[in-house]
Amino acid sequence: MNKKYKILGLTSLLGIATFTAYSLTPKFDVVSQNDKVYAASVSTEEKLDDNSESLTDAEEKIYGIGSVSKVYVTTAVMQLVDQGKVELDAPITEYIPGFTMADERYKDITVRMLMNHTSGIMGSSWTNMMLYDDNDMSCHDNILRSLSTQRLKADPGKYSAYCNDGFTLLELIVEEVSGMSYTEYVDKNISVKIGAEHTGTPENLFRDPMQTEVIVGGNIPVDYNYCMALGSGGIESTAIEVARFGSTFFTGDNTLLSEESKSEMATRWNEDGENTDIYTDDNGLGWDYVETWKCGGEDVKVISKGGDITLQHAWLSVVPDEEISVAVLSAGGTSSTNRVLANALTEVILEDMGKPVDEPEAKDITIVDTIPEEYKDYEGYYKMYTNDGNEIVYISFEEDTMLIKHLYLNNKLDYYKYTEEDNFERVDEDGELSAEPQTLYFEEIDGGVYLKADAEVDSVGLGKDVYHLNCGEKLSLNEVSDETSETWCKLNDERAVLYNDKYSSDEYDNPFQIISASDDLMGYINFGAPGAFGDLLKIETGTKAVAFSTIESSASRDIYDISVEKEKLKSGNEITSIKVTTGRKYRMVSELPTLDNSVKTVELYTEEASWFKIGDDIAGGTLSVERPENSNIYVYNKYNEMVYSTHMHIDNDIPLPAGGYILFLGEDGGTITIN
């Protein structure tokens, strides 16, 4: 990384805004005010347009900070705890009378469990959560109805697995207890108290002129996108003000919270001294990480949180005792990149304070020539959670090598050697230790076989991150009848498209899913985006497949059940629908009608997309239309890739690629006229 810093005086608050529509080679200019660094602009090479403004001279912009918002809603509830209006370990039913689930265990979910992701709730009710140029609140309004039909994936409190819906429920607790809307509460009790004039939600910052530009591939500007799950991911702010919010967690600063509440938030959910299980998630209350860094031989507490919405990303790191707050916001990139950037800056600041971050000690690794015979029992298929996301692998053992075959990555092989420490170290094809270190451990729990990992991830030019994670679970035999198996095998390679989000939902950017059933994984099906792994589900009946993961970490986040049912649309047509328990619905591509020269109008329906295959007689041409205000059009090529949407700020006619698809979205009573 090419770094240029001007760090003046006591570095305390650092807010960085980046615009990453291009390769990331950051150069930093940090400015000082009253002996404290309040803001920095980041430039990353020149924008592709030669006439673009240098980012170091750009004005401060508002970004959607995604899940960093979880620290804000946690702070709001902890303020109510400080006031004696909420008890952390009370059931949430005391504060949300309308909350129920199709699982009696929901009555055991406490406020604390929502904050530390241990509620057992499946994950995320995505319907109408992410919207382009729209601040409709149906995501908030429908959360209780969505959860009322869901089961839990685990006993409340058993383990921590990332859960967005828990923080939407915290948003409701703030409203129920305070008597204010969540937006009003944040404004009066957080923004005003820290002097944050540009921090809010899509309700009070809708179409704010300070919002950052958002672009997609090819440098095409698109409509600004909002997260409407406000507690989970809906805060909008500037880099300066996010860093200022972070500073309220400095030791001795009680602007927003008592020391007791800040300490609760900064304590790992299962902290148990030297016996803490480091392979479970490292979150506290609201924070993703409540780590301790070794700096100059001293323990230094660091708390941090990342956030991603579709096109905007954020990271906030706070070092309470050393009074450091670093916020990195971006349009483009990922929160993982922002995290590495924030960590690198935090390290530089600590070093400037005379507390350099200690390098981790190298491990002594002794390779053993022969793998013990008992490991043969561990051969089989595993659900794995890796840097590539969820996937299925096949693990086998040769005399001196463990092989991991990545089934959904073109059967790529990874090689591991057994060590004296009774674990497996990744090596290259020649048997030399890999340049991407990873250590795997097998563990038997309650009759199941699980994997945990130590992994080192190198973000080229930015630094390294080390992860410890419960990451794998051996698949158990799932015997189903021949008839049930045949029913699902008939759906193998069947593609489906989302159809029940509203016209402004950005989920239509990537609406395709594919069902995969194979002889290798009898009793299971895979449901995911074409070309990706997706999610493995256990077949229960000929029309239902369910989540089964019991990995005690965020490897079990955002899971769901699906059912295949017939449904009658508002248009009167009957379709085959794949219904996801967290709210989404998909229809089969094979059942889509064809758009040809005979189609002159398309009727629109609220939260019911009108899908068409592009007919051969119009393929290769273009389309012009007249459409109502609350409507949108998408076009996809034969590879299911989006090639056009009316969210893009371009003047071209609508393209009609051969073998592709076109989607019309709007509201009841609307009509699109095709010219």
Side-chain angles (χ1 to χ4, degrees):
M1 178 173 65
N2 299 321
K3 295 180 287 190
K4 181 176 68 174
Y5 299 92
K6 292 189 293 184
I7 300 177
L8 310 175
L10 174 62
T11 303
S12 183
L13 303 180
L14 184 59
I16 299 175
T18 77
F19 190 89
T20 54
Y22 30 72
S23 59
L24 188 63
T25 310
K27 299 177 182 179
F28 305 104
D29 286 305
V30 182
V31 296
S32 178
Q33 177 178 330
N34 299 329
D35 292 330
K36 296 192 176 193
V37 175
Y38 280 96
S41 290
V42 126
S43 64
T44 66
E45 314 208 343
E46 288 301 311
K47 192 178 174 184
L48 299 179
D49 178 359
D50 291 336
N51 297 320
S52 63
E53 179 185 22
S54 169
L55 287 168
T56 53
D57 299 323
E59 63 182 272
E60 186 75 354
K61 295 290 187 180
I62 291 172
Y63 292 76
I65 66 172
S67 286
V68 175
S69 306
K70 291 179 171 66
V71 185
Y72 287 71
V73 74
T74 302
T75 297
V77 176
M78 293 304 288
Q79 287 178 332
L80 299 174
V81 171
D82 280 343
Q83 296 165 25
K85 297 177 180 178
V86 172
E87 293 183 17
L88 271 180
D89 296 308
I92 65 173
T93 51
E94 290 190 12
Y95 307 106
I96 312 177
F99 172 62
T100 63
M101 296 185 72
D103 188 322
E104 284 299 302
R105 294 176 294 175
Y106 82 90
K107 297 174 183 176
D108 298 326
I109 299 173
T110 67
V111 177
R112 184 190 300 274
M113 291 173 189
L114 299 180
M115 294 178 176
N116 64 22
H117 302 276
T118 65
S119 67
I121 294 172
M122 297 289 262
S124 304
S125 298
W126 296 107
T127 304
N128 297 332
M129 182 187 287
M130 304 288 185
L131 304 179
Y132 279 118
D133 194 34
D134 186 4
N135 64 352
D136 174 74
M137 290 294 292
S138 61
C139 175
H140 164 281
D141 298 340
N142 293 331
I143 183 66
L144 294 182
R145 180 162 57 89
S146 175
L147 290 172
S148 70
T149 62
Q150 294 182 34
R151 65 180 175 92
L152 294 176
K153 63 188 171 191
D155 289 339
K158 184 173 184 182
Y159 63 85
S160 181
Y162 202 86
C163 178
N164 284 304
D165 283 351
F167 290 81
T168 305
L169 289 173
L170 289 173
E171 175 189 338
L172 298 189
I173 289 174
V174 172
E175 294 183 332
E176 290 283 349
V177 174
S178 71
M180 305 180 197
S181 73
Y182 179 68
T183 298
E184 183 183 5
Y185 185 93
V186 169
D187 185 54
K188 289 186 176 181
N189 294 282
I190 295 179
S191 299
V192 169
K193 287 188 175 182
I194 64 174
E197 298 178 356
H198 307 292
T199 295
T201 77
E203 287 194 296
N204 62 352
L205 293 179
F206 186 58
R207 295 178 179 171
D208 192 289
M210 283 182 58
Q211 284 167 339
T212 186
E213 182 184 22
V214 180
I215 70 168
V216 294
N219 256 14
I220 300 172
V222 297
D223 292 336
Y224 191 86
N225 65 312
Y226 297 93
C227 177
M228 297 310 302
L230 306 185
S232 175
I235 293 293
E236 305 266 320
S237 191
T238 67
I240 295 172
E241 292 185 357
V242 174
R244 190 180 301 159
F245 170 74
S247 75
T248 68
F249 293 90
F250 292 170
T251 302
D253 188 319
N254 302 128
T255 304
L256 297 180
L257 291 173
S258 67
E259 291 300 312
E260 182 181 0
S261 284
K262 291 189 296 180
S263 177
E264 286 272 16
M265 290 177 65
T267 301
R268 187 188 177 110
W269 73 276
N270 62 348
E271 187 168 295
D272 190 21
E274 294 182 359
N275 296 318
T276 299
D277 183 357
I278 64 171
Y279 295 95
T280 59
D281 289 15
D282 186 36
N283 49 272
L285 303 183
W287 298 102
D288 279 347
Y289 299 94
V290 289
E291 308 164 286
T292 298
W293 292 9
K294 286 287 185 181
C295 300
E298 298 179 25
D299 287 344
V300 172
K301 183 78 166 180
V302 181
I303 51 180
S304 56
K305 180 77 186 80
D308 297 272
I309 57 177
T310 310
L311 300 172
Q312 300 176 67
H313 312 276
W315 195 270
L316 172 63
S317 288
V318 178
V319 191
D321 290 340
E322 281 65 34
E323 296 190 343
I324 301 169
S325 179
V326 178
V328 181
L329 312 185
S330 65
T334 68
S335 67
S336 297
T337 302
N338 293 9
R339 176 191 182 185
V340 176
L341 208 53
N343 284 353
L345 287 164
T346 303
E347 288 186 26
V348 169
I349 297 167
L350 285 168
E351 185 171 4
D352 190 59
M353 291 179 167
K355 297 183 177 183
V357 177
D358 299 346
E359 290 292 325
E361 295 182 6
K363 296 190 298 184
D364 290 327
I365 299 172
T366 304
I367 302 296
V368 177
D369 291 337
T370 303
I371 298 174
E373 188 66 25
E374 57 263 28
Y375 277 100
K376 283 283 187 181
D377 294 337
Y378 295 156
E379 285 191 343
Y381 291 98
Y382 285 74
K383 176 186 176 182
M384 288 279 286
Y385 183 74
T386 69
N387 295 327
D388 298 307
N390 281 309
E391 61 169 327
I392 295 298
V393 302
Y394 187 81
I395 295 179
S396 60
F397 299 89
E398 296 180 350
E399 181 179 349
D400 62 350
T401 305
M402 180 175 78
L403 301 175
I404 295 186
K405 181 189 291 187
H406 299 264
L407 272 65
Y408 288 83
L409 293 173
N410 297 317
N411 290 325
K412 179 176 77 78
L413 284 176
D414 279 338
Y415 305 87
Y416 293 78
K417 295 292 187 181
Y418 183 65
T419 77
E420 282 189 348
E421 288 73 37
D422 195 27
N423 56 40
F424 291 84
E425 293 286 344
R426 182 154 58 192
V427 296
D428 60 25
E429 293 184 53
D430 298 322
E432 300 297 324
L433 290 175
S434 173
E436 299 178 342
Q438 186 182 69
T439 308
L440 292 179
Y441 311 80
F442 287 88
E443 187 173 26
E444 292 189 44
I445 304 173
D446 297 330
V449 178
Y450 297 85
L451 278 169
K452 54 187 181 181
D454 302 325
E456 188 174 289
V457 179
D458 189 359
S459 299
V460 178
L462 290 173
K464 295 181 179 181
D465 266 328
V466 177
Y467 295 91
H468 308 283
L469 187 69
N470 289 321
C471 67
E473 176 178 7
K474 187 179 180 183
L475 301 188
S476 59
L477 181 65
N478 182 35
E479 294 184 353
V480 297
S481 69
D482 291 342
E483 181 181 2
T484 296
S485 179
E486 184 179 349
T487 299
W488 284 102
C489 284
K490 286 179 180 178
L491 294 176
N492 184 43
D493 287 336
E494 185 78 39
R495 300 198 176 208
V497 285
L498 178 72
Y499 71 91
N500 72 314
D501 265 24
K502 71 175 299 188
Y503 69 88
S504 53
S505 171
D506 73 6
E507 291 299 322
Y508 292 112
D509 289 3
N510 297 285
F512 288 85
Q513 296 282 286
I514 186 169
I515 297 174
S516 302
S518 71
D519 293 336
D520 290 333
L521 292 169
M522 293 298 293
Y524 295 86
I525 60 107
N526 182 62
F527 188 63
F533 166 62
D535 296 291
L536 195 72
L537 303 171
K538 182 181 285 189
I539 294 172
E540 191 168 274
T541 69
T543 59
K544 185 176 181 180
V546 299
F548 65 89
S549 178
T550 57
I551 304 171
E552 295 189 358
S553 71
S554 283
S556 296
R557 68 175 287 181
D558 291 332
I559 59 179
Y560 53 82
D561 306 332
I562 67 171
S563 59
V564 181
E565 306 173 19
K566 292 293 183 181
E567 179 172 344
K568 192 169 185 177
L569 300 178
K570 294 177 183 178
S571 63
N573 297 321
E574 187 176 70
I575 64 167
T576 304
S577 176
I578 300 174
K579 296 185 178 180
V580 180
T581 51
T582 48
R584 291 173 174 166
K585 295 181 183 179
Y586 297 83
R587 60 177 299 186
M588 301 300 188
V589 166
S590 59
E591 298 177 356
L592 297 182
T594 298
L595 185 77
D596 56 26
N597 271 319
S598 68
V599 180
K600 302 303 181 184
T601 60
V602 176
E603 300 303 317
L604 301 176
Y605 304 97
T606 301
E607 296 186 357
E608 189 175 284
S610 297
W611 278 93
F612 293 86
K613 299 175 185 176
I614 294 173
D616 292 339
D617 61 336
I618 62 173
T622 60
L623 201 68
S624 63
V625 303
E626 296 174 16
R627 64 185 179 90
E629 182 177 357
N630 292 342
S631 65
N632 281 301
I633 299 173
Y634 279 83
V635 178
Y636 312 87
N637 62 23
K638 63 182 179 181
Y639 304 109
N640 305 149
E641 299 165 328
M642 182 185 70
V643 295
Y644 172 89
S645 89
T646 44
H647 294 298
M648 296 176 175
H649 298 175
I650 54 178
D651 296 324
N652 301 349
D653 283 341
I654 301 166
L656 297 169
Y661 307 86
I662 188 165
L663 166 62
F664 301 96
L665 297 156
E667 298 182 320
D668 289 338
T671 301
I672 288 179
T673 303
I674 297 174
N675 300 320

